[in-house]
Amino acid sequence: MDSSGILRGLLCAGLLIALCRGQASQEVSAEDFGVEKPDAAADKDLLEALEAVLGRMHSRVSSTEKRGIPMCGMGDKCAMKFGPRIGRLCDCGRGGSCNSYLLKCI
């Protein structure tokens, strides 16, 4: 009986040790890889480049509004049925499409 009690104790202790090791922090910081923080000048250069890219993208996105088709959100009514034809009310945003059965953006 004593050997089975000792075996159970060792088994429980091993299980506790295994569970405690699983609780260790898995966070990795930049210091671990020896990466230095960029200085303010590099941040400013990156910010200017990002503003330039966003300015070009804005001109492309607003081209749908220039055509006279407004944008509508998800779940909004995007078309109307006129007999056998379907007329567009608005254009669904990026990643969405107008469902021809429900006539809503999904």
Side-chain angles (χ1 to χ4, degrees):
M1 281 287 240
D2 280 331
S3 63
S4 66
I6 293 173
L7 185 60
R8 281 188 204 159
L10 287 174
L11 187 58
C12 288
L15 184 60
L16 267 173
I17 290 172
L19 288 175
C20 290
R21 286 189 182 192
Q23 298 293 325
S25 175
Q26 298 295 325
E27 292 182 21
V28 177
S29 66
E31 296 170 354
D32 295 338
F33 295 107
V35 177
E36 297 178 12
K37 290 186 177 181
D39 58 345
D43 285 343
K44 188 176 180 181
D45 291 340
L46 288 174
L47 185 61
E48 289 173 359
L50 181 62
E51 286 176 351
V53 169
L54 288 176
R56 283 184 277 170
M57 293 302 291
H58 178 67
S59 64
R60 290 182 187 168
V61 171
S62 63
S63 66
T64 57
E65 293 176 3
K66 291 178 186 174
R67 292 185 291 172
I69 302 172
M71 298 294 285
C72 52
M74 290 294 173
D76 292 343
K77 192 169 185 177
C78 59
M80 288 190 77
K81 191 157 175 113
F82 298 109
R85 294 177 294 155
I86 295 176
R88 291 179 65 181
L89 296 176
C90 58
D91 190 21
C92 297
R94 181 176 284 235
S97 63
C98 191
N99 187 317
S100 61
Y101 182 74
L102 300 174
L103 304 177
K104 290 186 177 186
C105 287
I106 55 169

